[in-house]
């Protein structure tokens, strides 16, 4: 086969291709369908660079290789040379008149699971190694890329530095105890202390370690030196919550800013979320249109709703009053002091305000040790951003910068001082008011794709009883 430079289908369909019209070009990709008759075959080829296929037209008699043509079935992989021409057919602008085709890999029609007919998302989860080849998952993973890129772009444009925080840590940033242990000790015969406990001083790091639940504590160290930083990395939670909004391994974006109070923090979260959604509407039109058509008719309306509205800002106490007076029967009853469930969050956003809502000043008893205590002594300067369909998408706070108060909270909550001595020292040496938040990347992906299950917006989901692929 003659070597000709490969063209991505994206470039052919979205960029200026006029200089290629009438020229012999090469495309490579996976066959979505082959149809036709004795005289002509039409191959719809997709290379994942864009949701659209390019049509390859084969003049069967002139081409001559019947056996090769027969092997070009759904799922097979080919390289095709041919003339790029304006298409006569409906539904596409360009097509390729094949001169030569090389078959890289066949896909037995009896065995290849992704035949043309629609599959359920549940079934596709079981074949996560092949589902990127569907239109749905192609669209989702391209959006995931665009969103990641937009996140870095936003922070770069706003003077934030990307800080890489560790994945293996010896502390529990959220104090929730839902951590995966990291160890190289022999599970059958671990070394024991005199008291008969596992002796972690003999473990790889000489102490107990776990996968991080959040990069925040180290992020604060960065902010108290570089002013504005952000992290964007995987985080891990060993909670046994088998819901459509929880993963055991998820990606989190955590900006942390010196000299920001909670209001600056809320302003940043709101402008950040609006920027990301605007970016997607501008850059992922085709993929969003596909998802809207297939899964969620209101998708773009919901995205516009975020951009077009100022987020409502109320306190937790005000929210409790609204919920108590709503006359709604919630599965989890509300009273001041309870942690809000997603049914409560969604009631506020979807029924009461019909806009994104930021709740602040939660009871200290339901929030993490590092949040700044309000003067009332009862509440902390926390802020959660609530979105329609999702509930909590962002959690953050102003941080306690006062050494004595922070030390008091650490003791009160039974946190080992030896695990966080370095964190405490930033409050001893040049402490500063500062704030930050965490955005759950997959929660945002759920929102922008209109998908219903968080396992469908990450390539290889990790959830209780599930670590395949
Ligand atoms: O509210 P969280 O637990 O806050 C923190 O971890 C803070 N350290 C963030 C900070 O202030 N720097 O988690 C932050 C966000 C949540 O709002 C949610 O969007 C997401 O992370 N999240 C999860 N996403 C998927 N699966 C899970 N199990 C999640 N837990 C939290
Ligand atoms: Mg939270």
């Amino acid at each position: 086969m003659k070597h000709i430079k490969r063209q991505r289908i994206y470039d052919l369909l979205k960029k200026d291709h006029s200089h290629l019209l009438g020229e012999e070009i090469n495309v490579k990709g996976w066959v979505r369908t082959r149809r036709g008759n004795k005289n002509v075959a039409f191959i719809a080829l997709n290379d994942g660079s864009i949701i659209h296929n390019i049509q390859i037209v084969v003049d069967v008699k002139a081409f001559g290789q019947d056996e090769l043509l027969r092997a070009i079935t759904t799922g097979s992989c080919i390289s095709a040379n041919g003339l790029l021409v304006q298409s006569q057919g409906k539904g596409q602008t360009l097509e390729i008149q094949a001169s030569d085709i090389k078959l890289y890999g066949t896909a037995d029609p009896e065995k290849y699971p992704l035949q043309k007919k629609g599959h359920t998302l549940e079934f596709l989860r079981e074949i996560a190694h092949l589902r990127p080849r569907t239109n749905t998952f192609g669209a989702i993973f391209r959006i995931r890329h665009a969103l990641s890129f937009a996140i870095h772009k936003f922070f770069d444009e706003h003077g934030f530095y990307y800080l890489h925080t560790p994945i293996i840590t010896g502390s529990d940033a959220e104090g929730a105890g839902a951590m995966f242990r990291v160890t190289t000790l022999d599970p059958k015969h671990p070394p024991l202390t005199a008291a008969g406990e596992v002796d972690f001083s003999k473990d790889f790091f000489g102490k107990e370690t776990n996968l991080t639940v959040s990069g925040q504590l180290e992020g604060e160290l960065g902010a108290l030196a570089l002013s504005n930083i952000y992290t964007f990395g995987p985080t891990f939670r060993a909670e046994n919550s088998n819901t459509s909004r929880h993963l055991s391994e998820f990606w989190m974006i955590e900006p942390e800013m010196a000299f920001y109070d909670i209001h600056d923090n809320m302003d940043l979260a709101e402008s950040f979320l609006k920027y990301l959604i605007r970016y997607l509407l501008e850059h992922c039109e085709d993929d969003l249109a596909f998802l809207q058509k297939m899964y969620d008719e209101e998708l773009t309306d919901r995205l516009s709703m975020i951009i077009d509205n100022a987020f409502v800002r109320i306190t937790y106490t005000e929210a409790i009053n609204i919920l108590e007076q709503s006359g709604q029967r919630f599965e989890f009853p509300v009273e001041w002091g309870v942690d809000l469930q997603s049914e409560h969050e969604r009631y506020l956003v979807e029924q009461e305000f019909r806009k994104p809502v930021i709740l602040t000043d939660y009871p200290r008893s339901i929030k993490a040790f590092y949040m700044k205590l309000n003067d009332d002594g009862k509440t902390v300067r926390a802020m959660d951003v609530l979105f329609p369909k999702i509930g909590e998408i962002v959690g953050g706070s102003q941080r306690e910068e006062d050494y004595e108060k922070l030390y008091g909270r650490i003791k009160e909550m039974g946190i080992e001082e030896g695990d966080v001595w370095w964190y405490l020292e930033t409050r001893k040496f040049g402490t500063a008011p500062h704030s930050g938040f965490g955005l759950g990347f997959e929660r945002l992906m759920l929102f922008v794709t209109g998908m219903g299950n968080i396992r469908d917006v990450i390539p290889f989901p990790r959830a209780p009883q599930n670590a395949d692929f």
Side-chain angles (χ1 to χ4, degrees):
M1 186 173 183
K2 188 162 71 178
H3 178 79
I4 302 172
K5 182 175 175 272
R6 175 188 167 219
Q7 301 291 333
R8 288 163 77 234
I9 296 171
Y10 177 93
D11 294 339
L12 292 175
L13 299 182
K14 289 286 170 181
K15 292 193 177 162
D16 178 21
H17 55 258
S18 50
H19 60 292
L20 294 171
L21 275 177
E23 297 288 314
E24 196 170 27
I25 64 155
N26 171 268
V27 289
K28 300 184 199 313
W30 293 269
V31 173
R32 283 295 164 80
T33 55
R34 191 206 66 212
R35 57 193 179 81
N37 53 40
K38 269 188 290 187
N39 303 318
V40 59
F42 300 101
I43 300 167
L45 194 74
N46 188 283
D47 67 2
S49 61
I50 186 170
I51 195 151
H52 308 295
N53 305 325
I54 198 150
Q55 172 157 286
I56 299 171
V57 186
V58 187
D59 179 333
V60 174
K61 292 213 176 93
F63 192 73
Q65 307 174 61
D66 289 0
E67 206 166 309
L68 173 73
L69 262 189
R70 264 196 305 278
I72 297 175
T73 55
T74 297
S76 61
C77 183
I78 63 170
S79 170
N81 288 350
L83 284 191
L84 183 70
V85 297
Q86 220 86 51
S87 175
Q88 278 103 55
K90 268 192 295 182
Q92 68 255 336
T93 49
L94 294 173
E95 62 188 31
I96 295 167
Q97 293 174 347
S99 51
D100 201 0
I101 296 180
K102 182 175 167 170
L103 182 61
Y104 283 134
T106 57
D108 185 343
E110 302 289 312
K111 298 192 180 124
Y112 184 61
L114 292 175
Q115 300 303 330
K116 212 189 151 197
K117 58 184 184 302
H119 291 294
T120 65
L121 293 167
E122 287 77 14
F123 172 73
L124 292 173
R125 249 170 255 153
E126 290 166 19
I127 53 165
H129 58 307
L130 295 172
R131 69 177 182 169
R133 295 193 200 172
T134 62
N135 283 335
T136 295
F137 287 91
I140 289 170
F141 298 150
R142 281 185 297 271
I143 289 173
R144 205 178 151 101
H145 162 81
L147 200 51
S148 306
F149 184 78
I151 286 164
H152 289 297
K153 188 163 147 51
F154 174 88
F155 285 124
D156 188 59
E157 287 170 3
H158 290 78
F160 285 66
Y161 296 114
Y162 183 25
L163 188 77
H164 294 104
T165 52
I167 288 177
I168 300 173
T169 73
S171 55
D172 179 357
E174 290 303 298
M179 300 184 296
F180 292 102
R181 189 186 292 290
V182 174
T183 179
T184 55
L185 293 179
D186 179 351
K188 276 206 196 117
H189 308 286
L192 299 178
T193 62
E197 314 246 294
V198 175
D199 184 0
F200 287 104
S201 72
K202 304 255 165 50
D203 204 345
F204 189 90
F205 295 105
K207 62 191 240 172
E208 284 191 72
T209 49
N210 51 272
L211 296 178
T212 191
V213 296
S214 154
Q216 179 194 321
L217 300 190
E218 291 89 352
E220 286 185 50
L221 313 182
L224 293 172
L226 305 177
S227 287
N228 291 353
I229 64 92
Y230 69 105
T231 73
F232 183 4
T235 50
F236 307 87
R237 306 253 168 126
E239 308 157 325
N240 207 354
S241 12
N242 240 319
T243 81
S244 59
R245 277 185 291 279
H246 288 85
L247 288 166
S248 311
E249 175 179 299
F250 64 99
W251 289 65
M252 190 156 43
I253 300 99
E254 295 185 276
E256 192 71 34
M257 299 73 65
F259 319 119
Y260 271 49
D261 68 11
I262 191 172
H263 303 286
D264 304 322
N265 204 20
M266 287 191 275
D267 291 344
L268 181 76
E270 181 169 343
S271 64
F272 177 47
L273 289 163
K274 286 179 167 164
Y275 177 101
L276 297 178
I277 289 173
R278 218 176 283 124
Y279 183 92
L280 285 190
L281 286 170
E282 280 165 19
H283 292 84
C284 298
E285 223 181 331
D286 294 358
D287 289 326
L288 288 174
F290 173 81
L291 294 172
Q292 164 136 346
K293 190 174 97 202
M294 298 299 290
Y295 296 99
D296 184 354
E297 282 188 334
E298 288 162 16
L299 180 59
T300 42
D301 286 348
R302 209 175 303 108
L303 297 180
S304 303
M305 181 261 240
I306 302 295
I307 297 174
D308 297 341
N309 286 292
F311 295 10
V312 173
R313 300 180 185 192
I314 58 170
T315 64
Y316 166 91
T317 303
E318 289 167 325
I320 292 290
N321 287 338
I322 292 170
L323 292 168
E324 280 177 339
Q325 282 156 30
S326 68
Q328 291 281 312
R329 285 263 204 111
F330 294 112
E331 188 188 338
F332 296 90
V334 265
E335 59 173 328
W336 200 94
V338 301
D339 206 355
L340 295 184
Q341 304 293 326
S342 91
E343 57 170 341
H344 308 131
E345 297 170 340
R346 293 185 58 177
Y347 175 83
L348 292 168
V349 176
E350 292 167 21
Q351 313 286 325
E352 178 73 19
F353 294 108
R354 298 173 189 272
K355 285 177 198 158
V357 175
I358 311 183
L359 292 190
T360 58
D361 305 293
Y362 283 72
R364 60 190 270 185
S365 55
I366 57 171
K367 289 291 185 186
F369 70 94
Y370 50 70
M371 296 191 180
K372 186 173 173 67
L373 201 59
N374 279 318
D375 293 338
D376 63 11
K378 282 195 327 195
T379 58
V380 286
R381 231 159 273 182
M383 56 155 241
D384 279 10
V385 181
L386 315 180
F387 262 27
K389 278 196 77 173
I390 307 294
E392 178 191 341
I393 195 159
V394 162
S397 74
Q398 186 166 340
R399 316 307 188 189
E400 185 55 79
E401 83 264 23
D402 181 276
Y403 178 85
E404 295 302 332
K405 286 188 188 155
L406 182 62
Y407 187 78
R409 285 289 278 161
I410 282 173
K411 287 282 138 191
E412 192 178 289
M413 297 181 84
I415 296 165
E416 284 289 333
E417 202 181 323
D419 290 343
V420 291
W421 62 271
W422 41 272
Y423 183 74
L424 275 164
E425 282 212 342
T426 55
R427 275 62 168 175
K428 257 194 227 166
F429 306 127
T431 193
H434 62 290
S435 299
F437 62 80
L439 166 65
F441 187 55
E442 286 76 17
R443 297 259 175 106
L444 182 60
M445 277 294 298
L446 265 182
F447 183 74
V448 301
T449 58
M451 302 304 285
N453 192 313
I454 200 163
R455 294 165 204 215
D456 295 331
V457 297
I458 187 167
F460 305 104
R462 299 290 176 252
Q465 300 299 312
N466 185 0
D468 286 342
F469 310 103

